[in-house]
């Protein structure tokens, strides 16, 4: 369903200038060769965190053991929260990972405030498969989630009318259809 929804959204929106980010590219490796692809600003609701990310293999294995080997469901809100906690270094606690996440959030917050042409603070484009699975950008997606919640819950933001929708999108390049993570 996610693949069809993303595909439909792209067909309807791909040529709009607000979606196609002029001059912004993503770097991928396709058929063993580096390649540049056009970056698009896509609503994060069409994207899916990658629970098979090699950086977290041991943590995933431990979490799956805790869950009696029940796989993660990317459409289950509780599972997505669990994946976010691993990526953020919150659970299981990983001080270095947590610090890197906090630094990324701080950097993206500053960029979003300082540069009007980068409203969500994301400088580098992520990379997704054609089904919306994030190949490169899990931490950026989590940072956008944190920033959106931060602004949404900020009394200053509410008084000044700051929009949080800028954090509901992510800049990504899409791999050609049929591309796998490897």
């Amino acid at each position: 369903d996610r693949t069809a929804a993303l595909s439909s959204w792209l067909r309807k929106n791909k040529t709009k200038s607000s979606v196609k980010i002029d001059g912004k590219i993503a770097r991928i490796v396709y058929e063993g060769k580096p390649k540049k692809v056009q970056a698009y600003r896509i609503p994060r609701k069409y994207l899916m965190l990658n629970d098979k990310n090699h950086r977290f293999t041991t943590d995933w294995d431990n979490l799956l053991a805790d869950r009696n080997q029940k796989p993660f469901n990317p459409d289950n809100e509780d599972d997505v929260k669990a994946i976010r906690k691993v990526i953020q270094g919150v659970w299981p606690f990983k001080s270095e990972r947590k610090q890197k996440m906090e630094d990324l959030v701080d950097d993206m917050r500053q960029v979003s405030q300082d540069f009007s042409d980068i409203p969500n603070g994301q400088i580098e484009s992520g990379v997704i498969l054609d089904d919306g699975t994030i190949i490169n950008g899990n931490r950026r997606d989590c940072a956008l989630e944190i920033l959106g919640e931060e602004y949404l819950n900020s009394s200053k933001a509410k008084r000044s009318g700051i929009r949080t929708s800028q954090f509901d999108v992510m800049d990504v390049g899409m791999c050609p259809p049929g591309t796998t993570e490897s």
Side-chain angles (χ1 to χ4, degrees):
D1 290 342
R2 185 185 311 276
T3 304
L6 174 59
S7 180
S8 174
W9 186 88
L10 280 169
R11 274 193 308 278
K12 293 176 186 170
N13 295 285
K14 208 168 186 177
T15 58
K16 294 182 181 176
S17 61
S18 63
V19 175
K20 183 177 178 180
I21 308 165
D22 291 332
K24 198 162 189 180
I25 53 112
R27 290 173 176 80
I28 65 169
V29 176
Y30 182 68
E31 295 180 341
K33 296 183 177 124
K35 183 177 178 179
K36 295 177 182 177
V37 294
Q38 174 66 50
Y40 296 92
R41 188 158 287 146
I42 296 178
R44 290 178 36 242
K45 69 180 181 182
Y46 295 112
L47 307 180
M48 180 172 48
L49 292 171
N50 186 352
D51 68 334
K52 294 170 185 63
N53 186 305
H54 68 280
R55 292 182 186 155
F56 312 114
T57 303
T58 303
D59 295 326
W60 296 140
D61 291 344
N62 292 338
L63 286 171
L64 283 171
D66 288 348
R67 296 162 53 97
N68 298 321
Q69 301 304 319
K70 180 181 163 203
F72 287 96
N73 178 348
D75 295 314
N76 178 298
E77 192 174 322
D78 290 335
D79 284 1
V80 172
K81 286 178 184 178
I83 294 169
R84 287 190 188 288
K85 286 180 181 180
V86 171
I87 293 167
Q88 294 168 5
V90 174
W91 193 89
F93 179 76
K94 304 278 184 177
S95 61
E96 185 178 332
R97 190 179 298 160
K98 189 174 187 307
Q99 186 60 55
K100 285 182 179 181
M101 189 73 217
E102 290 171 0
D103 292 346
L104 177 63
V105 170
D106 289 344
D107 290 347
M108 289 176 70
R109 182 186 304 109
Q110 194 62 53
V111 168
S112 74
Q113 292 169 354
D114 292 347
F115 298 94
S116 61
D117 60 330
I118 310 174
N120 69 356
Q122 183 187 352
I123 294 173
E124 188 176 329
S125 300
V127 176
I128 62 170
L129 295 177
D130 63 339
D131 69 353
T133 301
I134 298 172
I135 297 302
N136 183 335
N138 272 344
R139 288 186 331 117
R140 279 167 275 180
D141 180 83
C142 287
L144 291 167
E145 181 77 11
I146 290 168
L147 288 167
E149 287 179 13
E150 180 181 289
Y151 280 89
L152 188 63
N153 296 318
S154 162
S155 58
K156 180 182 176 185
K158 288 177 184 174
R159 285 193 309 271
S160 64
I162 291 177
R163 298 172 301 128
T164 59
S165 60
Q166 70 221 41
F167 303 112
D168 293 339
V169 294
M170 187 169 170
D171 301 346
V172 294
M174 187 181 302
C175 295
T179 304
T180 64
E181 292 178 47
S182 61

